[in-house]
Amino acid sequence: VVTEPQSELSPSVIGLIVHSTLEYYSLPHYDEEELQRCFTMALKEHVRGKTRGTEPAKAMLVQYLQSELLPPLDKAEKEKEIKFFLGSLQVNGFIDCMYPNADGTWTIVDYKTGRVPHSAQEKNTGYMYQLALYRLAVETLFKRKVSKCALHYLQELEPVELADDAEYQKYLAEALAHCKEIGSLPKEETAFPCMVGKQCEYCEYAYMCTGVK
């Protein structure tokens, strides 16, 4: 488990640094020099090259790149954009990482820099809807069979997966129902200004929000 030193950076900025570093990193194993190169690029992008307060991000990256959980980043497609309609509702997003398996199927991985949920109730969140919608998008838009979807919690090096097709169908049905409900609302109830703020750091639907992006 990563020890978290005092940081002046918000959890959302730490997350951005980690995500960008992994987007730039293209080796299937840990390499200190390559990590530093990619990490420096991410710092320039998000904090103007400053290093103070970035220790939690660096620590997460080092232990993840040295772990067995690490995807084959040399074969992966990263930050894969998806955009499709569910009825009148447009769904936009970027898949952190997806890579081909030996049997021709694909695996989807989404990085999380927060703490892993430890109960079934906590697991039943928007993140599972996110994975289900990502699988739907990959199979529909790119015609690629997905056999595995997982959240990788980098602080604790623990995956949380859609266990099987039955669980995928369950979360997909719930996600589609939510989307249908939102799409049926009068325009005046959905067309409101985006209020980006500290609360966004704790929102499980931040991945769907254009304001946070």
Side-chain angles (χ1 to χ4, degrees):
V1 177
V2 174
T3 300
E4 298 179 352
Q6 186 67 29
S7 173
E8 296 180 355
L9 301 179
S10 69
S12 59
V13 174
I14 293 293
L16 288 172
I17 292 171
V18 169
H19 279 74
S20 291
T21 301
L22 290 172
E23 179 184 358
Y24 300 140
Y25 197 96
S26 296
L27 296 179
H29 53 78
Y30 174 69
D31 181 271
E32 184 177 356
E33 183 176 341
E34 179 64 7
L35 171 58
Q36 187 57 49
R37 185 186 72 83
C38 297
F39 190 66
T40 299
M41 291 170 61
L43 295 185
K44 289 179 179 178
E45 181 179 355
H46 299 295
V47 291
R48 299 182 179 179
K50 298 178 181 179
T51 58
R52 184 175 181 181
T54 62
E55 294 88 353
K58 186 69 172 290
M60 272 189 275
L61 287 162
V62 169
Q63 71 171 14
Y64 184 57
L65 292 173
Q66 293 178 331
S67 74
E68 296 182 356
L69 203 59
L70 181 68
L73 296 179
D74 56 328
K75 301 177 182 179
E77 296 184 20
K78 305 166 192 172
E79 294 299 313
K80 186 79 170 178
E81 184 175 13
I82 58 170
K83 186 179 295 185
F84 62 102
F85 281 91
L86 293 173
S88 61
L89 186 67
Q90 183 173 354
V91 178
N92 304 308
F94 291 87
I95 298 174
D96 289 340
C97 176
M98 53 183 287
Y99 60 88
N101 304 306
D103 61 0
T105 64
W106 286 73
T107 293
I108 293 172
V109 173
D110 193 76
Y111 309 126
K112 298 300 179 189
T113 53
R115 292 292 184 181
V116 65
H118 289 291
S119 70
Q121 183 177 7
E122 287 178 307
K123 183 179 177 181
N124 187 16
T125 68
Y127 290 152
M128 305 310 288
Y129 299 154
Q130 178 187 8
L131 287 181
L133 290 173
Y134 280 179
R135 174 174 168 177
L136 175 67
V138 170
E139 294 187 336
T140 302
L141 299 177
F142 310 130
K143 310 302 181 184
R144 299 174 182 177
K145 175 62 179 175
V146 175
S147 59
K148 186 176 180 180
C149 298
L151 306 171
H152 282 187
Y153 284 87
L154 275 59
Q155 286 196 47
E156 296 168 281
L157 294 181
E158 189 169 336
V160 174
E161 303 176 1
L162 284 177
D164 50 32
D165 285 345
E167 190 170 59
Y168 161 64
Q169 293 293 342
K170 171 184 179 295
Y171 282 115
L172 179 61
E174 292 177 8
L176 294 177
H178 283 302
C179 291
K180 183 178 180 180
E181 181 181 1
I182 294 170
S184 67
L185 292 173
K187 186 175 181 180
E188 59 269 18
E189 293 188 31
T190 58
F192 53 87
C194 182
M195 303 294 288
V196 178
K198 188 172 180 59
Q199 71 278 0
C200 300
E201 299 170 14
Y202 309 100
C203 179
E204 63 193 36
Y205 298 100
Y207 68 92
M208 299 179 69
C209 180
T210 57
V212 174
K213 294 292 184 182

